[in-house]
Amino acid sequence: MALNQRIVELLEVGAEERDMNWLKGSLQAAIEVEFFTIPPYLCAWWSVKDAAHPVSESIKEIVIYEEMLHFGLMCNLLTGLGEVPKINVRANVPTYPDNLPGNINPNLIVPLQGLSDESLDAFRAIEFPEKGSVVENDFMGAMDMSGEFSTIGAFYKAILAEFERLQPQLSPTNQLARPSFKLNKITTMDGVRAAIEIIKRQGEGANGSPEDNAGDLAHFYRFGEIRHRKKLRKDAATGKWHFNGADIVFPDVYPMAKVPDGGYRREDVSSEEVWALLKTFDQNYSLMLNQLQAAWQPGGSLTPAVTTMRTLLQPSAVALMDIEIAPGKGNYGPCFRLV
């Protein structure tokens, strides 16, 4: 069953019928939701040629230190309830292009592609605040909020409500702590509340503000700065926010084309070099998924998966992005396939 349909069905279960099995199933779905954003954001980050460019640094912080934190927090919560997260199971691994999990903005299809205005619009749609943009004249400020657009917000609220109702004991056994990611073990209700709050705050801001913390913008507004080519600024006189601050120079990027549905096939690729890079990436991606699967089990650690991402995945992805498909067709990119 598709993840978005599973989430809808979970939310349709009446509050009085939600039990521990419901909570565990919902946390597994949340893990998949959080992981879904990581490959598209990695493609955008890796496509920036200058790793020291401020845009590269901003996207890196979003994907490495925040989205991966969200993923880790949900894995810790499920582990705390005595379950092993399902990370490398084919049915739980995202494929692209696809709808955003949870039926959020059902018209949005998220592909794998390099950094561009189109990819930034998709990322902003992913991170769109439940109450809309606080920025004046933001061209995404009036996005249609009808239908199931706010499903993920409602989903996290429902998860927290069930934790509050059941008050389950959370065991630290096999949970992970990684200070560099600000990932901590969760054993109290205060910890549960903080985990869910940080996910919402880092994505869309807090209390009508575009900031995660003072001076640190939420993801929706960070992507907005890159898209508008302007820093976000608060008008001291009116207290309103505008994309009218200092200029942001769009970086030089590899023109990674959208990866086709299901990824590149052997018959689509004439070059043995390209096919070897595609296979190598998928094999190393699968290795990373296996390492993540082992991380939340006895003796587990995040270090092997992080090392694989940085030393194996990134170099082969960048090598692909430097190879032209055909004149005017853009360049290749990784497929993120489980093999």
Side-chain angles (χ1 to χ4, degrees), residues 121-191:
D121 286 344
F123 297 166
R124 298 195 78 208
I126 290 171
E127 305 283 2
F128 195 78
E130 190 172 354
K131 296 182 180 179
S133 176
V134 303
V135 178
E136 293 256 307
N137 302 317
D138 187 351
F139 48 71
M140 293 195 71
M143 181 175 285
D144 182 11
M145 295 290 287
S146 63
E148 295 173 298
F149 187 85
S150 59
T151 297
I152 292 300
F155 190 44
Y156 274 115
K157 289 177 184 176
I159 288 173
L160 179 56
E162 195 59 21
F163 267 106
E164 299 276 14
R165 189 179 73 84
L166 293 175
Q167 295 285 317
Q169 288 206 339
L170 288 161
S171 169
T173 302
N174 296 334
Q175 287 196 49
L176 295 180
R178 192 176 179 91
S180 60
F181 287 169
K182 299 182 180 178
L183 177 63
N184 298 306
K185 297 184 178 185
I186 306 169
T187 58
T188 66
M189 274 307 305
D190 283 344

Side-chain angles (χ1 to χ4, degrees), residues 77-139:
L77 282 177
L78 185 57
T79 301
L81 296 179
E83 295 291 322
V84 177
K86 298 179 180 67
I87 298 169
N88 65 347
V89 178
R90 187 167 298 279
N92 303 95
V93 176
T95 57
Y96 304 90
D98 203 354
N99 296 100
L100 186 66
N103 274 1
I104 296 180
N105 194 355
N107 295 320
L108 174 66
I109 304 295
V110 181
L112 299 172
Q113 62 183 322
L115 182 67
S116 64
D117 285 346
E118 184 179 5
S119 65
L120 288 166
D121 286 344
F123 297 166
R124 298 195 78 208
I126 290 171
E127 305 283 2
F128 195 78
E130 190 172 354
K131 296 182 180 179
S133 176
V134 303
V135 178
E136 293 256 307
N137 302 317
D138 187 351
F139 48 71

Side-chain angles (χ1 to χ4, degrees), residues 50 61 125 166 221 235 284 331:
D50 180 5
E61 184 172 346
L166 293 175
Y221 300 98
D235 188 300
N284 288 329
N331 293 11

